[in-house]
Amino acid sequence: MSNNEKQPLVQVKDVCKYFHVGKNADLKAVDHVSFEIYKGETVGLVGESGCGKSTMGRCMIRLYDPTSGEVIYDGKNITKLTAAEKREFCQKVQMIFQNPYASLNSRMTVKEIVGEGLREHGMSGKDADVKVQELLEIVGLNKDHMSRFPHEFSGGQRQRIGIARALALKPKFVVCDEAVSALDVSIQSQIVNLLKDLGEKENLAYLFISHGLSVVKYISDRIGVMYLGNIVELASSQNMFDHPMHPYTEALLSAIPTTDPDAKKEIVPLEGDIPSPVHPPKGCKFHTRCKYCQEICKHVTPELRELEPEHYVACHFAEKLG
Ligand code: SF4
């Protein structure tokens, strides 16, 4: 089924999130971004630090209110929910954080951490204990872990506790913000596999935020590439890797190490640092680092255009480069 025929679960419509950082100065963390996530779909969001991907994720679950634009969840604008709708929304959307060391309260036992949401939504006593035990088993832990404290666990186990906590209220949409970045590579794959299996079983939609493109490829149905607050390319995971059309995506992909010693790979170096989001370059924001830059790129901002079915690119010369 093409995305046109499916029902979106979350719609991001022309969202901006600016932070006021001084007199007449705004940090444009998210700058007119639109996309949607369908039920059961995983969308990966990638880009360098400071590109706005985490801010975007936070706007989608109302940890931040957008400066302008709308986020629609299941047909409703999330900034205009009634008290009852807000309660339901908080149950249906969850977040898994980057740092499994900082995101768990060190004074609470695992039973208290995982059961916190259940208690807030009226489940307590034996029922809550049974549910916590079930959740721990789902994420590969067991009931003996219930009475322990976070410091008694490894990073991977802590992230499993964070996942159990996020799943407690049977969410439909989960934002994973660099959920595996702080873990060892061997543990990363275990956690990504766990998230993938759970997503398939529970028909969860994920926004999977990461700066690691290879991890994102493995778990995502579609990938959005962000640069200085904008999505510059959005396509299916396969298309993005087989046929990138934006110079920034090309550079990110070329930097992925390969394990094949015979693979001939041209490295497209990314020159310079990402410019300040407080004073982004005029025209195409990527022009200061783009080896294909032409005069027009310095003055005219490229629109995000659908150049192939469900493949969107914001570059004046994408057809030629692609
Ligand atoms: Fe490069 Fe110009 Fe395309 Fe921007 S619009 S990515 S500067 S070629």
Side-chain angles (χ1 to χ4, degrees), residues 101-118:
Y101 295 89
S103 64
L104 305 178
N105 187 332
S106 59
R107 293 198 201 127
M108 288 166 84
T109 62
V110 170
K111 183 169 108 174
E112 289 166 334
I113 292 169
V114 177
E116 198 174 18
L118 298 173

Side-chain angles (χ1 to χ4, degrees), residues 216-284:
V216 166
K217 181 192 180 190
Y218 181 66
I219 194 167
S220 305
D221 299 299
R222 287 186 298 143
I223 297 176
V225 177
M226 277 191 87
Y227 188 77
L228 274 184
N230 301 119
I231 288 190
V232 295
E233 185 157 7
L234 178 67
S236 72
S237 198
Q238 197 64 45
N239 235 346
M240 185 76 80
F241 272 72
D242 290 352
H243 182 42
M245 294 179 85
H246 194 283
Y248 181 55
T249 314
E250 181 192 36
L252 291 180
L253 288 175
S254 84
I256 297 176
T258 171
T259 47
D260 178 358
D262 299 326
K264 290 198 178 80
K265 198 168 175 187
E266 190 199 341
I267 304 282
V268 185
L270 256 184
E271 299 198 349
D273 292 327
I274 191 164
S276 161
V278 180
H279 303 291
K282 289 212 163 45
C284 172

Side-chain angles (χ1 to χ4, degrees), residues 48-319:
E48 292 161 285
S49 300
C51 70
K53 52 194 188 307
S54 290
T55 306
M56 185 68 259
R58 282 161 194 249
C59 288
M60 290 169 78
I61 57 169
R62 251 203 112 180
L63 282 181
Y64 292 149
D65 281 338
T67 308
S68 63
E70 292 179 342
V71 177
I72 310 290
Y73 175 83
D74 215 6
K76 291 184 184 125
N77 184 334
I78 64 169
T79 57
K80 295 185 178 155
L81 300 176
T82 62
E85 286 169 343
K86 209 185 277 181
R87 197 172 157 77
E88 193 188 340
F89 175 72
C90 293
Q91 209 173 325
K92 295 294 173 203
V93 303
Q94 293 291 324
M95 186 154 190
I96 298 169
F97 294 90
Q98 171 175 10
N99 190 336
Y101 295 89
S103 64
L104 305 178
N105 187 332
S106 59
R107 293 198 201 127
M108 288 166 84
T109 62
V110 170
K111 183 169 108 174
E112 289 166 334
I113 292 169
V114 177
E116 198 174 18
L118 298 173
R119 285 193 301 281
E120 275 169 21
H121 283 81
M123 190 189 278
S124 57
K126 221 173 173 188
D127 288 349
D129 289 356
V130 170
K131 184 74 192 164
V132 169
Q133 190 181 322
E134 249 176 58
L135 288 160
L136 290 179
E137 278 162 15
I138 288 172
V139 298
L141 299 171
N142 60 56
K143 69 172 188 216
D144 297 338
H145 294 124
M146 286 169 73
S147 55
R148 299 202 201 157
F149 290 88
H151 71 265
E152 298 176 63
F153 294 90
S154 66
Q157 287 175 316
R158 286 183 206 208
Q159 202 52 303
R160 287 175 192 269
I161 297 167
I163 294 169
R165 175 178 60 182
L167 293 180
L169 296 173
K170 289 199 144 291
K172 286 283 156 214
F173 174 49
V174 179
V175 173
C176 303
D177 188 5
E178 300 277 11
V180 296
S181 309
L183 304 174
D184 290 342
V185 177
S186 57
I187 309 295
Q188 280 187 5
S189 53
Q190 290 176 17
I191 299 295
V192 170
N193 280 329
L194 173 65
L195 289 169
K196 203 169 153 72
D197 289 349
L198 291 172
E200 281 162 15
K201 258 187 230 149
E202 307 288 329
N203 199 29
L204 288 175
Y206 288 120
L207 179 72
F208 194 88
I209 297 167
S210 175
H211 58 269
L213 253 173
S214 34
V215 177
V216 166
K217 181 192 180 190
Y218 181 66
I219 194 167
S220 305
D221 299 299
R222 287 186 298 143
I223 297 176
V225 177
M226 277 191 87
Y227 188 77
L228 274 184
N230 301 119
I231 288 190
V232 295
E233 185 157 7
L234 178 67
S236 72
S237 198
Q238 197 64 45
N239 235 346
M240 185 76 80
F241 272 72
D242 290 352
H243 182 42
M245 294 179 85
H246 194 283
Y248 181 55
T249 314
E250 181 192 36
L252 291 180
L253 288 175
S254 84
I256 297 176
T258 171
T259 47
D260 178 358
D262 299 326
K264 290 198 178 80
K265 198 168 175 187
E266 190 199 341
I267 304 282
V268 185
L270 256 184
E271 299 198 349
D273 292 327
I274 191 164
S276 161
V278 180
H279 303 291
K282 289 212 163 45
C284 172
K285 290 180 182 172
F286 187 57
H287 85 254
T288 53
R289 302 169 82 192
C290 180
K291 66 176 184 175
Y292 307 108
C293 176
Q294 308 280 322
E295 199 50 36
I296 184 178
C297 308
K298 298 177 188 168
H299 311 288
V300 182
T301 307
E303 297 287 322
L304 190 67
R305 296 173 295 143
E306 188 171 13
L307 297 183
E308 290 172 355
E310 292 170 23
H311 192 151
Y312 299 82
V313 192
C315 169
H316 295 304
F317 302 103
E319 289 95 331

